[in-house]
């Protein structure tokens, strides 16, 4: 047992002074509650309370960064100030996302329902907050935020991904959006979609490994799109369960053509690219 204790002691000594998951999760939920009172434990009825809460959270982020200087370069207080200076932009983007979900889902009866009930909105909110920190050069903390959301929603969005305005996730669950993915404006994706990499080699870590999805693309359930050179052209529709590893021109429809076939024959399912441009 003494040998085991020594191993554990060595592990604890070697562990950097990282913020605990609970601390990061609490910070994220406080930010979400500030932006959307639907998530707040206490409503802030006065403007002075809002200002006070912002300063409180700014101080908390500053303290987290100052105590974990290995997670960023530069000045922790300046990064915290810059993050909160940009929080209005995050707020505006999230309200556009809510509107996109409301417009795209006939089942949504109100925007309040989307904010309070939709895992897709929660996942996108976590991404946008985490991405704002990631863009400032902060490491680990943004990933902890999106992985916390991943555990709650089943949606895995890397904070390094670039996602445009009016992003709509319908049904969520099982969605994967990789680190170097680029998504344009007014894109809608359904459950089970993977925007992933063709290569998992470590030497490719600094390359663009994930696809680019241009504006006004709809990707239906179960579709898999792979590769850093793969571009899905604007106003395209990607059907369910399609597997794509090469670029698709704008205004295309990709879907499987269902066939009845004899298993002993050489005939297999195919997908069709149809351009309406």
């Amino acid at each position: 047992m003494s040998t085991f204790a020594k191993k554990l002691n060595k592990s604890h000594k070697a562990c950097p002074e990282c913020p605990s998951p609970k601390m990061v999760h609490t910070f994220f939920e406080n930010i979400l509650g500030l932006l959307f009172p639907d998530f707040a434990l206490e409503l802030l009825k006065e403007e002075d309370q809002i200002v006070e809460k912002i300063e409180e959270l700014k101080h908390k982020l500053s303290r987290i960064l100052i105590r974990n200087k290995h997670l960023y370069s530069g000045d922790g207080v300046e990064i915290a100030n810059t993050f909160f200076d940009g929080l209005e932009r995050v707020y505006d983007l999230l309200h556009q996302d809510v509107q996109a979900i409301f417009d795209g889902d006939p089942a949504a009866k109100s925007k309040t329902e989307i904010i309070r009930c939709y895992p897709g909105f929660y996942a996108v909110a976590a991404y946008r907050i985490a991405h704002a920190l990631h863009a400032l050069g902060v490491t680990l903390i943004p990933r902890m935020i999106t992985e916390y959301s991943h555990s709650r929603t089943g949606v895995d969005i890397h904070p390094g991904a670039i996602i445009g305005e009016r992003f709509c996730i319908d049904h969520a669950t099982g969605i994967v959006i990789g680190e170097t993915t680029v998504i344009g404006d007014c894109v809608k994706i359904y459950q089970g979609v993977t925007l992933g990499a063709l290569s998992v080699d470590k030497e490719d870590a600094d390359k663009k490994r994930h696809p680019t999805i241009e504006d006004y693309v709809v990707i239906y359930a179960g579709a898999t799109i792979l590769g850093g050179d793969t571009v899905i052209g604007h106003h395209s529709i990607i059907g369910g369960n399609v597997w794509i590893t090469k670029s698709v021109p704008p205004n295309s429809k990709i879907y499987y053509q269902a066939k009845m076939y004899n298993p002993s024959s050489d005939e297999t399912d195919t997908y069709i690219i149809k351009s309406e441009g």
Side-chain angles (χ1 to χ4, degrees), residues 31 74 86 127 130 156 172 189 198 222:
I31 291 291
Y127 156 76
D156 182 3
I189 64 177
L198 273 171

Side-chain angles (χ1 to χ4, degrees), residues 106-123:
K109 301 301 186 287
S110 69
K111 294 178 184 178
T112 296
E113 179 184 357
I114 290 167
I115 293 168
R116 295 195 178 200
C117 305
Y118 278 42
F121 167 73
Y122 190 93

Side-chain angles (χ1 to χ4, degrees), residues 236-238 242 244 246-257 270-276:
S236 291
I237 297 176
I238 308 301
V242 171
I244 298 175
K246 60 182 180 181
S247 294
V248 171
N251 300 296
S252 295
K253 289 183 179 179
I254 296 187
Y255 53 90
Y256 276 109
Q257 182 181 37
T270 60
Y271 65 79
I272 294 175
I273 300 179
K274 180 182 178 183
S275 178
E276 297 183 346

